[in-house]
Amino acid sequence: MSYENLSGRTAVVTGAASGIGEAVALQLAAEDARVALLARRADRLQELVDKIRAGGGEALAVTADVTDDASVTAARDLVHETFGTVDLVVNNAGVMLPNPVTDGRLDEWQRMLDTNVTGALRIIRAFTADLVGAAGEGRTADLVNVSSIGAHLTFPNYAVYGATKAAVTHLSNNLRSELGPLDVRVTNIEPGLTETELATHIDSAELSGQLDGMLDAIGSLSAAEVADVVAYATSRPRHVNLRQIMVLPTRQA
Ligand code: NDP
């Protein structure tokens, strides 16, 4: 599927080394947007840059850790030096580390909060001026936050992950009240089960097996199917804001 209003845009996609972020970067590039790809794994980003360039697209690998202030500032500077200011930001980097609250895994809770919430805020801080500037010049400007159906579910072992995603959803809603009047769209996307590398970081065989069971029962979206929703939302005319999108496999309750 092809969409207008993405050609000539300049995008930053975090978590572009795999899964949903990789698929979003590929689709935006296919629609003739320039894409800056942020994640920690330089080799994976370079492979994706090579793939996009081979297809005639424009991409830049930006090795960055969203949990590190200096790294995000350096990433912003590199994007500006190479592409100038940006008008489309996809805040997608995230980790999901389920664990029983009785285990008290402060390390994993902290990692989820710092990546999924504060990481998203660092990216917002780095690029909001660009978005406001682009909108002020009459261009389309988008902030897309990738939250999760987990923002609304209660599920054993997923309390902290769900809390980080509820925070992202709430953040999107609130930011819209500030950025909407400045003509910057804020879109909150809440995917359901999607086939990516997200579950590979779960270190409990039992919890990993539980998720595999859900995938067998429910099926999953592909990362490209979620990316298609991001491309659809960001390619609408600039006065149309799909502010909240929940996209689930049909069998997921
Ligand atoms: P993946 O694990 O495939 O992708 C996560 C991406 O985030 C990777 O590119 C990873 O790259 C990057 N990342 C992780 N930590 C950092 C960091 N500190 N700094 C920079 N980049 C980081 O999973 P998904 O594609 O599924 O996840 C993307 C988003 O979608 C997440 O926010 C997730 O919560 C959300 N989501 C996923 C669902 C699913 O079922 N898969 C459902 C609902 C929401 P690297 O390791 O190289 O840094």
Side-chain angles (χ1 to χ4, degrees):
M1 204 178 290
S2 167
Y3 301 119
E4 293 175 8
N5 199 18
L6 288 171
S7 179
R9 308 237 347 235
T10 304
V12 169
V13 181
T14 72
S18 58
I20 294 169
E22 177 180 5
V24 167
L26 276 170
Q27 178 145 6
L28 294 180
E31 307 292 345
D32 284 332
R34 301 188 296 178
V35 283
L37 316 174
L38 270 70
R40 294 166 302 179
R41 285 172 292 175
D43 54 339
R44 293 284 291 262
L45 293 179
Q46 196 51 51
E47 275 173 34
L48 185 54
V49 165
D50 293 345
K51 190 173 171 182
I52 289 171
R53 287 184 181 158
E58 219 179 323
L60 171 72
V62 185
T63 310
D65 183 341
V66 299
T67 68
D68 183 288
D69 291 343
S71 177
V72 171
T73 301
R76 181 202 59 196
D77 292 347
L78 179 59
V79 172
H80 283 167
E81 276 163 30
T82 314
F83 284 161
T85 61
V86 308
D87 55 33
L88 202 171
V89 174
V90 183
N91 235 337
N92 163 79
V95 285
M96 181 180 77
L97 307 166
N99 47 52
V101 73
T102 46
D103 282 1
R105 291 291 304 268
L106 189 59
D107 58 334
E108 294 201 332
W109 301 342
Q110 198 64 59
R111 202 174 133 207
M112 286 189 280
L113 285 161
D114 207 21
T115 309
N116 304 359
V117 183
T118 319
L121 288 170
R122 287 188 185 93
I123 294 295
I124 288 165
R125 185 171 74 138
F127 293 107
T128 293
D130 287 16
L131 296 178
V132 171
E137 289 167 9
R139 293 189 279 133
T140 309
D142 283 288
L143 170 63
V144 178
N145 291 328
V146 179
S147 177
S148 168
I149 175 70
H152 306 280
L153 298 178
T154 53
F155 207 69
N157 308 310
Y158 286 79
V160 178
Y161 177 72
T164 65
K165 291 302 179 176
V168 171
T169 289
H170 196 67
L171 179 70
S172 300
N173 287 338
N174 268 290
L175 285 178
R176 199 169 170 275
S177 71
E178 269 184 72
L179 295 178
L182 301 175
D183 290 321
V184 176
R185 293 192 295 213
V186 181
T187 300
N188 192 62
I189 309 247
E190 298 180 333
L193 282 178
T194 307
E195 190 71 41
T196 68
E197 296 179 11
L198 194 69
T200 60
H201 306 291
I202 301 175
D203 59 10
S204 149
E206 188 192 338
L207 293 182
S208 184
Q210 190 186 52
L211 200 60
D212 288 343
M214 280 172 69
L215 282 168
D216 287 344
I218 293 170
S220 60
L221 302 171
S222 69
E225 286 158 349
V226 178
D228 189 47
V229 173
V230 174
Y232 180 80
T234 52
S235 59
R236 298 308 86 203
R238 72 191 288 264
H239 66 286
V240 178
N241 189 177
L242 283 155
R243 62 174 276 263
Q244 170 74 359
I245 305 174
M246 192 182 282
V247 51
L248 307 176
T250 302
R251 285 175 178 243
Q252 186 169 5

